[in-house]
Amino acid sequence: MDTAADITAMRRAITLAARGLGSTSPNPVVGCVILDAAGRQAGEGFHQRAGGPHAEIHALRAAGERARGGTAYVTLEPCNHTGRTGPCAQALIEAGVARVVYAVGDPNPQATGGADTLRAAGVKAEQGLLADEAEAGNVAWLTSVRLGRPYVLWKYAATLDGRIAAADATSRWITSPESRADVHRLRAEADAVVVGSGTARADDPQLGVRGIEGAVQPLRVVVDTGATTVRPGARVLDDTAPTLIAVADGADARHLPEGAVLRLPRAVTGPGLDIPALLTALYGRGIRSVLLEGGPTLAGAFVAAGTVDKVVGYLAPVLLGAGPAALADAGISTIADALRLDVTETVRIGPDLRITAVPGPARKGN
Ligand SMILES: NC(=O)c1ccc[n+]([C@@H]2O[C@H](COP(=O)([O-])OP(=O)(O)OC[C@H]3O[C@@H](n4cnc5c(N)ncnc54)[C@H](OP(=O)(O)O)[C@@H]3O)[C@@H](O)[C@H]2O)c1
């Protein structure tokens, strides 16, 4: 039976884990709280960056001798492998922890087995406390490891009549400064920000995180099939963050910095590059979460490929009456094929409304 103290400790661990969002990839975000044998808080910690100590190690260091006979609450099954840091299951055993409560099992084949190791050493190991909350906090990493591609959040900013730009292509600024600041938080939590060549051409976006102290800059990616859009001097090529320009295998990209060119096959059907190949390539570079910032044509291709895991729409109380819709052709021609979403959150952001939605169960795993 989980007690109120168990739940409080795990909820704290989940809160701590979230502090690592955007800086731990290719590792997950993990939080850990240790209570001593008398049930008093002894230590806590979270995984801060790949290559650094895991959450359990931070918490064990803080707890010291008080960990002996105590309970460790961890958002993810303690790892069992020696990567850049030692296995956490072993560290918990050596510290004399009597019980380990973890929320979600580790799907990573190289790291799993931590619970078995703990049990073999006589430590009580229990899975499942606040599993849904912990899973939600780590959804990008868990989804990416299960699917072998980054988790994709598509974000757009639209008028109340669903337009993302005016008829003359101007789109700055549909939403409020508050909404735009919120987008910088999304960027800070993502490993990569992706836009299409149409957006790069229209807006010359810089795509970096601004206004968030200590944020790790995401990789900036422009999908520019013919290597004709991003030219030297483009803001996305400044030296504030790494950048990749995804181009077709045969494209002439000599004007681009060599290290910034990512060569990919063309889409099997339709225009542009192969979206699954783009995501596989990013995954191979350690990218576990992508913030897709449009525009509508590229977003349509991602939806058509079944590779949008979450949608965040900022709706401004503005009407345009003409101009492109938030999403272009996504291969859906009849209402029976509409991609139906479940709304998970609606929030007022300044004068705007932020709606978060995820594909309904029928589309999950696509
Ligand atoms: N309000 C908002 O939230 C928001 C966000 C972003 C953009 N915008 C606005 O949207 C407009 C630009 O949108 P857009 O739809 O014209 O361009 P886009 O979606 O940014 O880029 C589309 C281009 O990406 C390239 N691409 C590469 N692979 C592709 C694939 N598999 N499928 C589809 N396209 C692929 C294609 O050009 P190539 O093959 O030639 O490379 C395609 O024309 C601008 O006015 C911008 O201001 C608004």
Side-chain angles (χ1 to χ4, degrees):
M1 250 291 277
D2 298 315
T3 65
D6 289 334
I7 293 169
T8 303
M10 184 61 86
R11 193 154 281 138
R12 173 73 186 148
I14 292 169
T15 304
L16 287 167
R19 291 200 197 159
L21 280 171
S23 58
T24 63
S25 283
N27 294 344
V29 294
V30 185
C32 178
V33 169
I34 293 175
L35 302 188
D36 66 15
R40 286 175 307 233
Q41 166 126 358
E44 63 177 33
F46 66 99
H47 187 40
Q48 298 170 8
R49 55 182 173 78
H54 291 183
E56 297 92 320
I57 306 304
H58 281 297
L60 284 171
R61 281 181 192 160
E65 262 310 298
R66 292 177 61 207
R68 197 158 294 281
T71 299
Y73 299 83
V74 200
T75 54
L76 188 71
E77 181 180 354
C79 73
N80 201 30
H81 77 314
T82 307
R84 280 181 278 187
T85 58
C88 292
Q90 203 54 44
L92 289 161
I93 292 164
E94 280 163 20
V97 168
R99 177 175 168 237
V100 173
V101 181
Y102 63 98
V104 179
D106 194 328
N108 185 349
Q110 281 115 45
T112 193
D116 292 342
T117 301
L118 289 166
R119 288 188 194 109
V123 178
K124 223 172 144 198
E126 301 160 24
Q127 178 179 347
L129 178 62
L130 300 186
D132 289 351
E133 278 176 48
E135 167 116 12
N138 216 356
V139 67
W141 185 83
L142 288 167
T143 305
S144 71
V145 170
R146 286 173 191 147
L147 299 181
R149 63 153 175 85
Y151 179 86
V152 177
L153 187 168
W154 168 46
K155 157 263 149 187
Y156 68 91
T159 62
L160 201 53
D161 57 328
R163 299 175 194 280
I164 52 84
D168 67 355
T170 51
S171 67
R172 288 184 174 166
W173 300 104
I174 286 174
T175 46
S176 62
E178 293 91 329
S179 290
R180 296 194 318 261
D182 199 58
V183 169
H184 283 276
R185 181 187 55 79
L186 293 184
R187 284 184 182 172
E189 290 179 0
D191 298 334
V193 176
V194 176
V195 297
S197 59
T199 298
R201 204 174 308 118
D203 300 340
D204 188 20
Q206 195 264 349
L207 298 181
V209 180
R210 294 183 291 280
I212 299 180
E213 210 181 310
V216 175
Q217 292 292 338
L219 173 71
R220 301 172 295 183
V221 182
V222 180
V223 189
D224 182 12
T225 313
T228 53
T229 300
V230 180
R231 310 301 302 179
R235 293 174 70 217
V236 79
L237 291 176
D238 72 16
D239 58 9
T240 59
T243 302
L244 281 179
I245 312 300
V247 306
D249 279 328
D252 180 358
R254 281 173 296 182
H255 55 288
L256 294 171
E258 212 180 296
V261 175
L262 173 65
R263 293 199 174 274
L264 293 173
R266 288 178 186 270
V268 182
T269 55
L273 297 177
D274 188 76
I275 300 300
L278 166 68
L279 291 173
T280 302
L282 293 178
Y283 188 82
R285 289 170 181 246
I287 300 298
R288 298 291 174 263
S289 63
V290 158
L291 178 65
L292 173 63
E293 293 207 24
T297 306
L298 189 64
F302 270 73
V303 170
T307 53
V308 170
D309 301 298
K310 192 184 211 177
V311 180
V312 174
Y314 295 84
L315 285 187
V318 175
L319 298 176
L320 272 168
L327 190 69
D329 184 12
I332 300 167
S333 56
T334 183
I335 196 70
D337 293 343
L339 174 53
R340 299 202 179 266
L341 310 173
D342 294 327
V343 172
T344 56
E345 191 188 51
T346 55
V347 188
R348 280 293 292 266
I349 309 266
D352 307 324
L353 187 62
R354 186 186 71 201
I355 301 181
T356 304
V358 295
R363 286 291 294 245
K364 266 185 195 147
N366 269 7

